[in-house]
Amino acid sequence: MIKFLSRFSRDDSGAVTVDWVVLTAAIVGLGIAVIAMIAQGATQTSGSIGNVLGSMEVQQY
């Protein structure tokens, strides 16, 4: 049993995979946070632009 635990503690075959999973999760989390911060302002701005364009009169020549 001690031999097994010793070999298991020295085995690092899956360490890189764990690193990539953690990095990918961090990037996805940051992306979601940025979208959440920008979404409300973008919605308000597009609504304001829609109101301005809707109030304009179209002139025909």
Side-chain angles (χ1 to χ4, degrees):
M1 183 69 166
I2 294 174
K3 196 176 202 180
F4 171 74
L5 290 174
S6 175
R7 259 187 314 191
F8 182 75
S9 68
R10 284 184 273 132
D11 186 20
D12 62 353
S13 61
V16 174
T17 303
V18 172
D19 290 343
W20 278 107
V21 168
V22 170
L23 287 172
T24 304
I27 290 170
V28 169
L30 286 172
I32 291 172
V34 167
I35 289 171
M37 287 191 302
I38 293 174
Q40 184 177 6
T43 303
Q44 290 174 352
T45 303
S46 64
S48 298
I49 291 171
N51 290 337
V52 169
L53 291 176
S55 67
M56 291 185 170
E57 292 183 24
V58 178
Q59 297 180 358
Q60 296 181 357
Y61 294 104

